Amino acid sequence: MQTKTATHTPGPWEVTRSESGRIYISGPEGDIGVLIHYEHAEADARLIAAAPALLAALEDAVRMLKARDKEYGELTTDIRRMETVIASAQ
């Protein structure tokens, strides 16, 4: 699978909370999004902020597993699943 060039705001992203309770997700280029406080807003924001690093780690894992799969041939289904997830994020 050939990966596309990422078109998302480059990471790293971080989560901050304003005095009014709004939760901001920011990257090197400024604010990416704002969540008004609700029960899971901060946890959701942390997950969203981790997305660039998670994508990069998954891409690295696919490269490593493809190299291993050449020796063992048992990972094809898992690799395809990961490649589908990567493609959906690009």
Side-chain angles (χ1 to χ4, degrees):
M1 177 186 136
Q2 192 169 39
T3 59
K4 298 183 236 172
T5 303
T7 57
H8 59 75
T9 303
W13 297 352
E14 63 179 25
V15 176
T16 56
R17 181 188 290 270
S18 71
E19 289 182 20
S20 66
R22 287 193 174 134
I23 298 169
Y24 292 87
I25 303 166
S26 303
E29 299 174 357
D31 288 343
I32 296 166
V34 177
L35 300 173
I36 306 302
H37 185 71
Y38 59 94
E39 184 179 357
H40 303 289
E42 195 156 352
D44 291 349
R46 285 193 305 271
L47 180 60
I48 293 165
L54 291 168
L55 178 59
L58 187 58
E59 290 169 334
D60 290 344
V62 166
R63 280 190 290 277
M64 181 200 65
L65 291 172
K66 279 184 171 181
R68 179 178 174 206
D69 198 46
K70 288 177 185 173
E71 294 178 38
Y72 300 102
E74 61 193 30
L75 303 169
T76 303
T77 301
D78 296 322
I79 291 170
R80 284 188 185 141
R81 190 172 130 239
M82 288 182 229
E83 287 176 333
T84 299
V85 171
I86 291 168
S88 73
Q90 296 177 326

